[in-house]
């Protein structure tokens, strides 16, 4: 009886092919561009999630306020998480202070009645140095301070060596005159003159910070983390007994001294994170940076931190600093857009930053203070000082010329937390430059090159990290044991790399309307619900003439960047790149579904990725759930064999071919066309002109992918299911040598499992296009169609 009912239902479905609506679905009445509707819906979803995630942060915090020691222990997991996402993961090298001199210029470059000023550098990581100025008091030294300028300020500008500079901005000089030993690092600036490959004649308008951010992010590092490391290396030096400068230190200067950090603008951000990560820092000033981070996606891309908003706003970072001293100074600060695109230089991500209004900053502080106990129960230093700063009437009237901290009370409280008193009324000591000024451009180039070189050296080392992280954990002694050993790695890939959204919580609600009616098949636009406002959309091609009860294999055919399902399915012509391969497969009798993926509308979708990243999400997070809904729906169709649903994608669709079937096991095989590569190399290398380092596709970078999953590792998550690569020799997305190198690892792995016949690569004479020769044979073989 059940069999008869199923046959009748199928007959009704098949007999109605060519109707305006696919049987079993509601009419699709949505108007306008469905791809735009999809992307806007994803953006709305993320906008709703940002405040929700902020409210849920408390679940990650388990503070113990019984004592300062207990508190530090209770927040240690949060501190370790912050280290991880900022890329503060490399062991620092032993530090000694090096006084930089040449034949023509000694290390001592200036001297006043109160202090001497030296050009210095100090080792941080292998081949990476901090470099800047050291101000040594001549009298008693009361504390050691790292004074961090904004990225577009030089150390000289805050040390009083730049003629015409605003005195209020010279906070390194002020601290030296107060008896502090002050070390001033150089930050990577926002110019673009070095963001290029002269060898390959590729030039960008990416700021130096973005250029380093891109390559570092893929390798689990960050420009923020690198500069925090420079500050912490300085703290390492301060913490050493009896540092030995080239000139004798006065009485009181030897031995350990209390340590503080004091930063403005980008330096304020670095100071905040440095103090959060190192409990040796006893007093901190953050000037020109503080506020909610919920709009970080609109800030410069080098402030994009993976998963930041799940556990941390600036308020939560404060929780890693208390009960140590902290002053938040609401000073004017803003960055502009990146350098303008111009002839020969382009590709930078948009984004700028301005300090939040006073009431917004106060609200962020109030939010975190509400989570802390009263001061009588817990030594919460500097809270009263915060309020005194915000009570000052001139906060809203800082002029455009203001370029740094100036409040006397800031210095007073900062020094107080270091056990020193502010010497009021002391006149600035006149500087007397001994020799010609240092070349800040040459120093900036050295600092830039060191971080680029360090990050590039991570590339060949990353195969060892992936061996340890991935391959060493797979059990290939049998297919059953192999599948079991895959699951923790698949779970990590899904949650930590791709970013995992919750299961869809709305009905599928399929809506369809007829788009194509050809002699061999009918084509329907299909919309499925994923979440509120989030849809999955595509085109279903249903062959005509199927027998009652017949189930056909289905091939999900995916377009690439800025593509449309119609590029895949157009029955009237062979479309560029795609050759209408979905329509060709439907002509052969396969059921075909061509989804619309959301990588469309240029920087509109890239900014959606920016909004997703701080929530520990990517665009693939949504594509996973969209394809899950597609699979769920396809499996309900009587004419689709649920065990024979394959995936075949070109270009960006090839990126999806590597990631989505690695997570969704209902895809029985995957074909990657026009994308398979030594993916980590392609993203960060400077040795190839088509590297993403030189493109405007700033969304490509996935945090810490280099140490965890290259394409061979993703293919190993697709195994033991069949996997194929389609590669045109003239395709500019890769080089044959690198494609072959990465695929050889896949072929070897399948052979080790005893299933070498399940993986193939087809090389053909052609470019970035669907060839549909070897891949068609592969589909027929593994889908067993036609019989």
């Amino acid at each position: 009886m059940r069999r008869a009912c199923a046959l009748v239902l199928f007959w009704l479905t098949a007999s109605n092919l060519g109707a305006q609506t696919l049987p079993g679905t509601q009419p699709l009445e949505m108007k306008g561009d469905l791809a735009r509707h999809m992307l806007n819906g994803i953006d709305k979803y993320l906008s709703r999630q940002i405040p929700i995630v902020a409210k849920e942060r408390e679940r990650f915090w388990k503070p113990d306020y019984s004592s300062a020691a207990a508190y530090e222990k209770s927040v240690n997991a949060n501190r370790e998480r912050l280290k991880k996402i900022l890329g503060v993961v490399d062991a620092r090298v032993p530090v000694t202070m090096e006084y930089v001199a040449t034949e023509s210029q000694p290390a001592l470059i200036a001297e006043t009645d109160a202090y001497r000023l030296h050009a210095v550098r100090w080792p941080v990581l292998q081949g990476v140095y901090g470099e800047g100025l050291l101000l040594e008091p001549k009298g008693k030294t009361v504390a050691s301070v790292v004074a961090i300028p904004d990225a577009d300020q030089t150390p000289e500008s805050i040390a009083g060596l730049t003629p015409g500079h605003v005195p209020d901005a010279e906070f390194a000089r002020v601290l030296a005159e107060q008896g502090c030993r002050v070390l001033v690092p150089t930050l990577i600036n926002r110019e673009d003159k070095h963001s290029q490959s002269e060898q390959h004649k590729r030039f960008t308008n990416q700021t130096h910070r973005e250029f380093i951010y891109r390559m570092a992010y893929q390798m689990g590092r960050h420009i923020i983390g690198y500069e925090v490391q420079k500050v912490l290396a300085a703290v390492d030096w301060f913490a050493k007994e009896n540092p030995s400068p080239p000139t004798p230190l006065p009485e009181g200067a030897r031995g350990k001294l209390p340590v503080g950090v004091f930063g403005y603008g980008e330096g304020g951000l670095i100071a905040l994170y440095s103090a959060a990560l190192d409990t040796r820092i006893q007093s901190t000033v953050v000037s020109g940076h503080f506020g909610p981070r919920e709009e970080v996606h609109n800030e410069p891309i080098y402030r994009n931190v993976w998963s930041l908003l799940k556990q941390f706003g600036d308020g939560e970072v404060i929780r890693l600093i208390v009960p140590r001293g902290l002053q938040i100074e609401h000073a004017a600060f803003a960055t502009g857009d990146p350098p303008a695109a111009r002839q020969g230089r382009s590709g930078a991500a948009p984004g700028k930053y301005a300090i939040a209004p006073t009431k917004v900053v106060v609200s962020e502080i109030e939010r975190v203070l509400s989570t802390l106990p009263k001061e009588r129960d817990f030594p919460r230093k500097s809270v009263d000082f915060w309020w005194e700063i915000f009570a000052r009437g001139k906060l809203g009237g800082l002029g455009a010329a203001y370029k740094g901290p100036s409040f006397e009370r800031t210095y007073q409280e900062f020094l107080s937390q270091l056990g020193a008193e502010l010497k009021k009324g002391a006149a600035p000591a006149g500087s007397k430059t001994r020799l010609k000024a240092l070349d800040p451009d040459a120093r900036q180039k050295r600092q830039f090159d060191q971080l680029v070189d360090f990050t590039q050296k991570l590339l060949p080392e990353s195969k060892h990290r992936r061996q340890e992280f991935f391959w060493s954990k797979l059990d290939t002694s049998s297919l059953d044991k192999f599948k079991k050993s895959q699951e923790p790695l698949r779970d990590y890939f899904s949650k930590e790399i791709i970013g995992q959204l919750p299961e869809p919580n709305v009905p599928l609600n399929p809506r369809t309307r007829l788009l194509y009616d050809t002699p061999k098949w009918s084509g329907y636009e299909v919309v499925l619900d994923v979440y509120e406002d989030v849809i999955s959309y595509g085109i279903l091609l249903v062959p005509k003439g199927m027998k009652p009860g017949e189930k056909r294999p289905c091939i999900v055919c995916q377009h690439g960047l800025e593509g449309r399902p119609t590029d895949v399915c157009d029955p009237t012509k062979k479309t560029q790149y795609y050759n209408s391969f979905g329509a060709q497969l439907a002509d052969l009798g396969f059921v075909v579904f061509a989804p619309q993926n959301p990588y469309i509308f240029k920087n509109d979708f890239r900014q959606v990725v920016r909004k997703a990243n701080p929530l520990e999400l990517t665009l693939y997070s949504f594509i996973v759930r969209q394809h899950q809904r597609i699979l769920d729906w396809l499996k309900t169709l009587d004419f689709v064999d649920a065990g024979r649903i394959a995936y075949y994608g070109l270009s960006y669709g090839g990126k999806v071919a590597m990631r989505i079937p690695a997570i969704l096991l209902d895809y029985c095989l995957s074909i990657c066309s026009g994308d398979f590569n030594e993916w980590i190399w392609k993203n960060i290398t400077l040795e190839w002109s088509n590297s993403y380092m030189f493109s405007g596709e700033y969304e490509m970078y996935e945090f810490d992918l280099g140490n965890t999953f290259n394409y061979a590792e993703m293919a190993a998550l697709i195994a033991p299911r069949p996997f194929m690569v389609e590669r045109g020799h003239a395709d500019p997305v890769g080089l044959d040598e690198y494609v072959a190198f990465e695929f050889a690892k896949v072929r070897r792995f399948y052979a080790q499992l005893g299933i070498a016949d399940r993986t193939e690569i087809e090389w053909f004479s052609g470019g970035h296009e669907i060839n549909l020769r070897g891949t068609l044979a592969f589909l027929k073989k593994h889908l067993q169609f036609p019989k």
Side-chain angles (χ1 to χ4, degrees):
M1 184 67 180
R2 291 179 181 174
R3 176 178 173 82
C5 290
L7 289 175
V8 170
L9 178 61
F10 175 79
W11 179 83
L12 290 171
T13 302
S15 66
N16 281 278
L17 288 178
Q20 292 301 308
T21 301
L22 192 68
T25 67
Q26 296 297 314
L28 174 58
E29 298 176 347
M30 294 174 65
K31 305 297 183 183
D33 189 333
L34 296 185
R36 171 58 74 178
H37 185 95
M38 171 192 290
L39 188 65
N40 289 350
I42 293 173
D43 186 63
K44 289 179 183 178
Y45 179 94
L46 291 169
S47 295
R48 286 197 303 270
Q49 286 301 303
I50 289 172
I52 293 172
V53 165
K55 290 178 181 178
E56 292 177 346
R57 286 180 197 142
E58 194 61 30
R59 65 192 174 97
F60 294 101
W61 295 81
K62 309 295 180 185
D64 180 351
Y65 296 118
S66 61
S67 69
Y71 179 76
E72 290 294 349
K73 183 178 180 180
S74 69
V75 298
N76 188 60
N78 305 94
R79 181 172 286 117
E80 291 302 313
R81 179 62 181 175
L82 186 59
K83 285 182 181 179
K84 165 72 174 176
I85 62 179
L86 292 179
V88 183
V89 296
D90 298 290
R92 293 187 295 279
V93 299
V95 62
T96 56
M97 191 58 61
E98 300 180 13
Y99 291 76
V100 180
T102 67
E103 290 180 336
S104 61
Q105 178 154 349
L108 181 65
I109 62 170
E111 186 172 2
T112 75
D113 296 338
Y115 59 87
R116 297 182 180 90
L117 196 150
H118 301 274
V120 296
R121 72 173 194 169
W122 58 101
V124 181
L125 306 171
Q126 289 292 337
V128 176
Y129 288 79
E131 188 170 357
L133 303 177
L134 177 64
L135 288 68
E136 288 279 13
K138 290 183 176 179
K140 182 179 180 180
T141 304
V142 298
S144 297
V145 177
V146 185
I148 315 170
D150 176 54
D152 285 340
Q153 291 176 321
T154 64
E156 288 79 9
S157 69
I158 68 168
L161 293 181
T162 303
H165 202 260
V166 180
D168 284 347
E170 296 172 356
F171 56 98
R173 171 188 60 78
V174 173
L175 291 168
E177 290 167 354
Q178 292 293 325
C180 297
R181 177 193 298 139
V182 182
L183 186 59
V184 188
T186 300
L187 296 193
I188 300 300
N189 68 23
R190 302 185 186 94
E191 296 178 1
D192 66 1
K193 66 174 67 174
H194 307 310
S195 301
Q196 61 193 35
S197 170
E198 293 185 9
Q199 176 185 354
H200 296 286
K201 306 302 180 186
R202 295 302 302 268
F203 305 94
T204 81
N205 67 325
Q206 298 168 38
T207 65
H208 297 151
R209 300 186 72 79
E210 178 181 348
F211 197 75
I212 292 171
Y213 155 84
R214 288 194 183 195
M215 62 180 79
Y217 193 84
Q218 189 90 3
M219 304 309 296
R221 274 74 168 182
H222 205 288
I223 180 62
I224 294 173
Y226 284 151
E227 293 184 330
V228 167
Q229 289 275 43
K230 291 182 180 184
V231 173
L232 301 190
V235 175
D236 293 342
W237 181 69
F238 285 149
K240 289 175 64 176
E241 293 284 354
N242 300 320
S244 301
T247 55
L249 288 174
E251 181 181 355
R254 292 188 177 276
K256 294 182 180 179
L257 293 167
V259 175
V261 294
F262 195 126
Y264 170 68
E266 211 71 44
L269 178 150
I270 301 301
L272 181 69
Y273 286 133
S274 297
L277 298 185
D278 197 325
T279 58
R280 297 173 299 176
I281 297 170
Q282 295 169 240
S283 185
T284 302
V285 170
V286 176
S287 179
H289 169 85
F290 190 85
R293 295 266 65 79
E294 280 70 23
E295 293 295 319
V296 68
H297 56 276
N298 291 322
E299 297 179 23
I301 194 170
Y302 51 78
R303 290 181 168 212
N304 179 49
V305 176
W306 173 249
S307 78
L308 178 72
L309 295 180
K310 290 194 75 172
Q311 285 195 36
F312 303 100
D314 278 0
E316 281 71 27
V317 178
I318 288 178
R319 297 176 74 167
L320 297 178
I321 299 175
V322 296
R324 293 169 288 132
L326 173 64
Q327 279 66 248
I328 307 293
E329 188 175 74
H330 190 249
F333 177 74
T335 69
D337 289 312
R342 52 204 186 275
Q343 183 65 37
R345 283 193 181 272
S346 61
K352 54 187 175 181
Y353 171 76
I355 192 75
T358 304
K359 64 180 181 180
V360 176
V361 177
V362 171
S363 176
E364 179 72 0
I365 292 178
E366 286 180 327
R367 183 180 65 79
V368 71
L369 291 185
S370 68
T371 69
L372 299 175
K374 301 297 183 182
E375 189 163 359
R376 64 177 178 271
D377 302 321
F378 185 66
R380 185 179 57 183
K381 298 182 180 180
S382 304
V383 174
D384 291 338
F385 172 59
W386 292 336
W387 294 112
E388 199 154 343
I389 282 182
F390 287 118
R392 296 179 68 93
K394 295 182 179 179
L395 280 177
L398 295 170
Y402 183 85
K403 297 296 182 182
S406 64
F407 296 136
E408 181 179 283
R409 187 65 185 273
T410 301
Y411 294 114
Q412 180 177 326
E413 292 295 330
F414 176 68
L415 292 169
S416 174
Q417 299 295 340
L418 295 173
E421 294 184 1
L422 179 69
K423 294 182 287 186
K424 296 184 178 181
S431 295
K432 181 180 180 182
T433 303
R434 292 298 185 97
L435 295 171
K436 64 181 181 181
L438 298 174
D439 183 351
D441 291 337
R443 181 178 57 205
Q444 179 69 211
K445 181 68 161 60
R446 288 192 297 272
Q447 291 283 280
F448 176 85
D449 286 346
Q450 288 170 13
L451 290 179
V452 168
D453 290 346
F454 178 85
T455 310
Q456 290 295 312
K457 287 176 183 177
L458 296 174
L459 183 56
E461 296 173 3
S462 65
K463 63 182 179 182
H464 303 297
R465 307 288 82 77
R466 293 193 299 273
Q467 173 64 35
E468 179 182 2
F469 171 82
F470 187 89
W471 297 107
S472 67
K473 297 173 184 175
L474 288 179
D475 185 344
T476 59
S477 60
S478 71
L479 280 179
D480 287 340
K481 290 181 178 179
F482 165 68
K483 290 177 182 179
K484 185 176 180 180
S485 67
Q486 278 180 310
E487 290 314 303
L489 295 166
R490 193 188 320 280
D491 187 66
Y492 187 96
F493 182 65
S494 176
K495 293 177 180 176
E496 298 291 335
I497 301 297
I498 298 299
Q500 191 175 81
L501 285 163
E503 290 284 340
N505 57 0
V506 296
L508 279 168
N509 188 25
R511 289 92 79 196
T512 63
R513 63 184 168 214
L514 185 68
L515 181 65
Y516 301 120
D517 191 12
T518 77
K520 294 185 176 181
W521 47 268
S522 298
Y524 294 86
E525 288 185 289
V526 179
V527 170
L528 308 170
D529 288 337
V530 183
Y531 302 105
E532 181 184 353
D533 293 322
V534 180
I535 62 168
S536 181
Y537 156 64
I539 299 175
L540 178 71
L541 310 186
V542 185
K544 295 179 178 179
M546 288 187 283
K547 299 176 181 179
E550 182 182 2
K551 289 183 178 291
R552 297 263 180 106
C554 177
I555 305 172
V556 175
C557 297
Q558 189 65 66
H559 64 76
L561 181 66
E562 301 295 336
R564 302 276 186 162
T566 50
D567 295 329
V568 171
C569 297
D570 191 334
T572 65
K573 61 181 179 180
K574 284 193 173 182
T575 51
Q576 186 180 20
Y577 308 124
Y578 304 99
N579 290 316
S580 296
F581 74 109
Q584 290 192 63
L585 290 167
D587 285 344
L588 295 173
F590 291 96
V591 179
V592 169
F593 190 85
Q596 174 71 64
N597 272 358
Y599 35 75
I600 191 170
F601 304 118
K602 299 182 179 179
N603 278 4
D604 287 358
F605 90 82
R606 295 188 173 98
Q607 288 304 106
V608 168
V609 177
R610 286 287 315 275
K611 189 178 285 190
N613 281 178
L615 300 175
E616 201 173 23
L617 297 171
T618 64
L619 202 65
Y620 298 115
S621 306
F622 291 91
I623 295 172
V624 166
R625 293 309 188 195
Q626 289 173 323
H627 278 249
Q628 178 183 328
R629 298 297 261 182
I630 291 167
L631 288 163
D632 288 345
W633 181 67
L634 289 174
K635 289 188 292 184
T636 69
L637 301 179
D638 290 335
F639 49 85
V640 171
D641 185 340
R644 291 188 291 167
I645 303 177
Y647 182 93
Y648 187 175
L650 173 71
S651 194
Y652 225 122
K655 300 177 197 348
V656 175
M658 300 309 304
R659 292 162 177 81
I660 306 313
I663 295 171
L664 299 180
L665 300 182
D666 282 339
Y667 278 121
C668 70
L669 65 79
S670 182
I671 299 174
C672 176
S673 178
D675 182 69
F676 190 86
N677 225 308
E678 210 288 21
W679 181 249
I680 309 305
W681 173 82
K682 178 179 177 177
N683 273 269
I684 78 167
T685 186
L686 302 179
E687 299 301 318
W688 184 48
S689 60
N690 285 350
S691 167
Y692 283 120
M693 284 298 302
F694 309 117
S695 83
E697 295 171 80
Y698 56 84
E699 85 288 355
M700 284 296 175
Y701 297 89
E702 298 159 274
F703 186 69
D704 203 29
L705 192 71
N707 299 303
T708 52
F709 299 90
N710 205 335
Y711 272 11
E713 285 79 14
M714 296 182 202
L717 293 181
I718 295 172
R721 292 165 290 162
F723 170 72
M724 184 175 181
V725 171
E726 186 176 49
R727 164 69 191 171
H729 289 302
D731 191 339
V733 304
L735 297 173
D736 283 354
E737 298 90 329
Y738 283 87
V739 174
F741 171 77
E742 191 69 10
F743 183 76
K745 293 184 280 185
V746 178
R747 177 63 170 75
R748 178 180 61 198
F749 179 69
Y750 270 71
Q752 288 172 341
L753 287 173
I755 53 172
D757 61 325
R758 298 186 192 179
T759 189
E760 297 179 27
I761 186 168
E762 181 194 20
W763 307 90
F764 66 93
S765 295
H768 191 62
E769 61 183 329
I770 293 288
N771 191 45
L772 201 60
R773 299 291 189 277
T775 52
L776 179 58
F778 188 80
L779 289 166
K780 289 180 175 180
K781 172 184 175 181
H782 292 287
L783 296 179
Q784 299 180 350
F785 182 85
K787 292 184 178 180

